[in-house]
Amino acid sequence: DDMCLQARPLLEERATEQLVDPLLNGRFSGCEMQCMLYAASLCIRKDPHHRPRMSQVLHAILCSFFFTLMKML
């Protein structure tokens, strides 16, 4: 719960530099990162009834991955 309290304001402010692992050194897709942060924000909603099912989160992540892959072709 403490991690959610810390992450929630950062997600709302879109403070990506504070949320992304610095060891990645910028080696990630901006589009995929935005999708992951959006999925994370949905998963830490205060009301559990408004959180997505894990199957919905997985679907969103896979769609993001395939969208990025298709752009590379």
Side-chain angles (χ1 to χ4, degrees):
D1 193 42
D2 187 46
M3 188 183 297
C4 292
L5 291 175
Q6 292 176 3
R8 196 171 283 121
L10 295 173
L11 287 166
E12 290 171 358
E13 296 169 14
R14 298 185 184 272
T16 55
E17 65 282 348
Q18 293 175 287
L19 291 163
V20 175
D21 185 347
L23 296 177
L24 291 173
N25 293 321
R27 293 174 292 174
F28 55 86
S29 161
C31 180
E32 287 179 5
M33 184 261 310
Q34 290 296 328
C35 289
M36 293 300 291
L37 293 178
Y38 178 69
S41 71
L42 295 177
C43 292
I44 63 169
R45 287 180 172 172
K46 290 180 182 178
D47 185 345
H49 295 100
H50 290 125
R51 296 177 193 154
R53 295 186 312 270
M54 283 299 108
S55 61
Q56 292 171 307
V57 173
L58 178 61
H59 183 271
I61 292 169
L62 289 175
C63 286
S64 167
F65 172 75
F66 287 118
F67 178 74
T68 301
L69 184 64
M70 294 303 291
K71 286 181 12 182
M72 296 171 74
L73 297 177

